[in-house]
Amino acid sequence: MSLVFAGICSHAPGITGRAHMADRSIAEEFHGAYRGMADELAAAKPDALIVVAAEHFANFFMNNMPAFAVGMAESYEGPIEDPQWLGIARTGIPGNAPLSRRLIREMMQSVDLAYAEEWKFDHGIMVPLSFLTPRFDLPVVPVNVNCQGPPLAPLHRAWALGEALRRAADLAPERIALVGTGGISHWPATPDSGKINENWDREFLRRWLANDKPALLSYSDEETYRDAGQGGFEIRTFISVAAAAQGPGRLRYYRPIPIFAVGCTVGTMDIKTCRT
Amino acid sequence: MQKFLFDINRDRALQEQFRVHAPAVLDRYSLEGEERRALEAGDIGLIYVLGANGQLLMHFAALLGMPWAEYIAAMRAGVARHGPVRAGIYAMTTGVDDGPQKL
């Protein structure tokens, strides 16, 4: 049918794995906002969920690194990490291979993609799913944007990926939801874990909420690395969602939570009727 | 070195082999002396300084059963001992005497 839901959220492993180390009321406030997003997602009655994520070497490595990859499997599994470390039990997640195939074919009209019939989910997808579809019963189509091993796709290509996703979703008979997941500024997995540039985050979110394409695409990777850390490269996933939804965003939650190593974010975006 | 971390993080059979006999597993990889010593000793600080991507290293540290605070401290201690990170995008941005972020 079309794209029926669009949103963004954080995926840092600490959100679930270190929840017990966080201030209980702050963790509960953020988890509550995440569950609110789950309610909005469910109300849109999606048949499938596309997750635009930035994985961390669960599947793709520098021996053969795709800029963009889309899952085309009947089913997936995750988390790849130690379940106790992540706080999420290992499970299977349904895919929808025929839908993947149709989406990929249409997206390839404008963006070159890799596809994968084998795909293990890491925290980048498992943390969002654990809140959004905690029974892991909604078919997922994973989309990966390489944000780990430079050279990375330029931001305008992340935008093009989002436009392609939208076009493909609108051609599908299914009701499709889209979630982009990443961090804004953060320095995860470094000795500076917990460092967050709140001002930078708020400016990025201002641009995202306004769906200001020129402003969103104006960051250079050098600036992002300096001001937002290597974790900031994941803004690509949020940019793809803005390109797909086209509407203004609504910020449901933002708060730097250092023990989770990221400015914890939940947002949704209005879906503007497409020109096509 | 990163290829080894990539493989072991995602392959449960390899994790078991590494637990039983690490040298035999490491023999399969092209490793420089310092890399091999760091991996064999589980020296998180040195692996970090040698330039391993932090995401690969974070999961390896978890695999070794290292508690969170200890893992963060080990990276900082590695920089204090061996100098700045030599490659990659996971460099430390604070000084060695600054201490960890306030959590």
Side-chain angles (χ1 to χ4, degrees):
Chain A
M1 188 195 123
S2 61
L3 192 63
V4 296
F5 177 86
I8 54 169
C9 54
S10 308
H11 68 224
I15 293 169
T16 49
R18 296 193 295 282
H20 62 286
M21 295 164 72
D23 179 298
R24 183 181 275 198
S25 64
I26 293 174
E28 189 40 50
E29 177 189 86
F30 170 48
H31 289 180
Y34 227 136
R35 286 191 291 270
M37 183 179 179
D39 293 340
E40 284 190 66
L41 173 67
K45 301 192 187 315
D47 298 312
L49 171 63
I50 299 172
V51 183
V52 180
E55 73 142 36
H56 319 77
F57 305 111
N59 305 276
F60 308 112
F61 188 66
M62 276 74 79
N63 61 344
N64 190 1
M65 180 64 84
F68 304 124
V70 181
M72 203 167 74
E74 296 287 350
S75 65
Y76 304 92
E77 61 172 72
I80 190 172
E81 297 93 340
D82 179 71
Q84 263 194 314
W85 179 83
L86 187 59
I88 299 174
R90 208 159 264 146
T91 185
I93 302 100
N96 183 334
L99 172 63
S100 284
R101 206 168 294 118
R102 280 182 275 122
L103 292 172
I104 291 165
R105 284 181 60 137
E106 176 55 34
M107 290 171 73
M108 279 179 162
Q109 294 292 337
S110 56
V111 182
D112 296 320
L113 299 172
Y115 64 81
E117 291 186 340
E118 294 178 15
W119 192 310
K120 295 178 182 185
F121 292 172
D122 71 9
H123 64 266
I125 292 182
M126 292 307 286
V127 170
L129 291 184
S130 73
F131 290 100
L132 298 177
T133 58
R135 290 192 299 276
F136 300 98
D137 50 359
L138 182 63
V140 168
V141 175
V143 176
N144 192 64
V145 180
N146 169 29
C147 299
Q148 282 296 330
L152 311 177
L155 300 186
H156 69 89
R157 296 304 291 163
W159 185 274
L161 176 77
E163 287 184 325
L165 273 166
R166 172 62 184 270
R167 204 179 59 245
D170 283 353
L171 285 172
E174 292 89 347
R175 298 175 63 85
I176 294 175
L178 173 68
V179 168
T181 167
I184 319 179
S185 74
H186 61 316
W187 285 257
T190 74
D192 306 317
S193 178
K195 178 175 166 183
I196 294 156
N197 186 344
E198 181 173 350
N199 288 337
W200 197 90
D201 284 0
R202 291 200 181 274
E203 172 57 22
F204 176 82
L205 285 171
R206 188 192 65 72
R207 297 177 191 193
W208 188 84
L209 293 166
N211 211 329
D212 183 342
K213 177 183 173 186
L216 281 171
L217 301 189
S218 70
Y219 297 98
S220 72
D221 276 356
E222 291 73 22
E223 289 165 344
T224 300
Y225 186 67
R226 181 191 67 213
D227 300 331
Q230 83 288 344
F233 293 147
E234 293 178 347
I235 57 173
R236 285 167 171 75
T237 64
F238 289 8
I239 286 173
S240 294
V241 170
Q246 296 281 330
R250 299 162 193 269
L251 188 62
R252 304 304 193 192
Y253 190 82
Y254 174 82
R255 180 177 188 146
I257 306 180
I259 188 65
F260 294 165
V262 73
C264 293
T265 308
V266 173
T268 58
M269 189 168 264
D270 295 352
I271 294 160
K272 210 161 110 185
T273 310
C274 240
R275 312 104 5 223
T276 54
Chain B
M1 182 175 69
Q2 296 196 108
K3 187 64 187 287
F4 162 76
L5 294 171
F6 170 67
D7 286 344
I8 197 160
N9 285 343
R10 65 197 305 274
D11 185 340
R12 273 173 268 167
L14 192 66
Q15 291 167 11
E16 192 48 37
Q17 290 168 30
F18 186 73
R19 250 188 287 272
V20 175
H21 193 47
V25 172
L26 293 173
D27 281 347
R28 299 178 212 161
Y29 294 86
S30 164
L31 296 166
E32 290 172 14
E34 212 174 16
E35 294 174 335
R36 171 140 188 157
R37 281 196 299 280
L39 292 172
E40 222 160 346
D43 185 341
I44 295 299
L46 182 53
I47 301 170
Y48 174 64
V49 167
L50 290 174
N53 181 291
Q55 298 289 341
L56 291 166
L57 182 57
M58 176 172 72
H59 292 156
F60 185 62
L63 204 65
L64 298 180
M66 214 174 215
W68 183 252
E70 200 179 305
Y71 147 71
I72 297 292
M75 286 190 286
R76 192 168 288 279
V79 172
R81 187 161 173 211
H82 304 288
V85 171
R86 298 178 201 169
I89 57 171
Y90 277 73
M92 187 164 89
T93 60
T94 51
V96 284
D97 298 325
D98 288 348
Q101 300 291 310
K102 203 159 164 280
L103 300 179

